[in-house]
């Protein structure tokens, strides 16, 4: 990835795959869980994003199975995907640390 910040859907998808390969439905549920229910990925959005991430080399097809006469793909992070996620996490942590410092170390927002 470039030096730019990751878009939230990409961050959530890579995070969902960071600990184990998953199939589409499980990825969508993990994204919902990670985001505290704030982000719900619809099927078309999910598979479009997965195809984009495959094309970027951030994820790979881990396994393909036929389940109930349908192809089920399981996706996993590539080494490049893991490196990109780690770099984004470091960027977010550094930004949060600086924001906390500027708020006086307490993490509370200033009141007007």
């Amino acid at each position: 990835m470039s030096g730019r910040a990751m878009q939230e859907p990409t961050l959530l998808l890579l995070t969902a795959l960071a600990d184990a390969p998953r199939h589409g439905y499980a990825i969508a549920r993990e994204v919902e869980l990670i985001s505290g229910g704030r982000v719900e990925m619809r099927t078309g959005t999910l598979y479009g994003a997965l195809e984009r991430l495959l094309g970027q080399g951030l994820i790979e097809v881990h396994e393909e199975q036929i389940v109930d006469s349908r192809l089920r793909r399981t996706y996993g992070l590539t080494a490049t995907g893991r490196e990109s996620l780690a770099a984004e996490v470091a960027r977010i942590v550094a930004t949060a640390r600086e924001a906390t410092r500027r708020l006086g170390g307490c993490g509370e927002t200033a009141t007007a």
Side-chain angles (χ1 to χ4, degrees):
M1 298 217 58
S2 69
R4 293 183 6 193
M6 237 179 234
Q7 295 294 312
E8 186 179 28
T10 300
L11 174 63
L12 292 169
L13 287 169
L14 295 181
T15 301
L17 294 171
D19 61 343
R22 291 183 166 81
H23 58 80
Y25 179 78
I27 294 169
R29 297 294 63 87
E30 283 295 309
V31 165
E32 195 171 342
L33 180 68
I34 292 164
S35 70
R38 193 175 42 78
V39 176
E40 184 178 326
M41 297 200 88
R42 295 175 190 234
T43 304
T45 302
L46 173 65
Y47 286 100
L50 291 173
E51 286 301 317
R52 180 178 51 78
L53 296 174
L54 280 167
Q56 292 174 341
L58 299 176
I59 65 170
E60 62 189 355
V61 175
H62 179 74
E63 184 179 32
E64 291 183 325
Q65 297 178 322
I66 302 296
V67 177
D68 296 330
S69 301
R70 297 179 65 188
L71 179 64
R72 174 188 271 185
R73 284 183 170 175
T74 302
Y75 301 89
L77 285 183
T78 62
T80 301
R82 190 165 293 283
E83 290 168 10
S84 294
L85 179 58
E88 183 65 4
V89 168
R91 187 193 68 75
I92 291 168
V93 167
T95 302
R97 188 176 295 123
E98 181 60 15
T100 300
R101 184 189 71 75
R102 290 177 183 224
L103 288 168
C106 62
E108 297 176 10
T109 57
T111 56

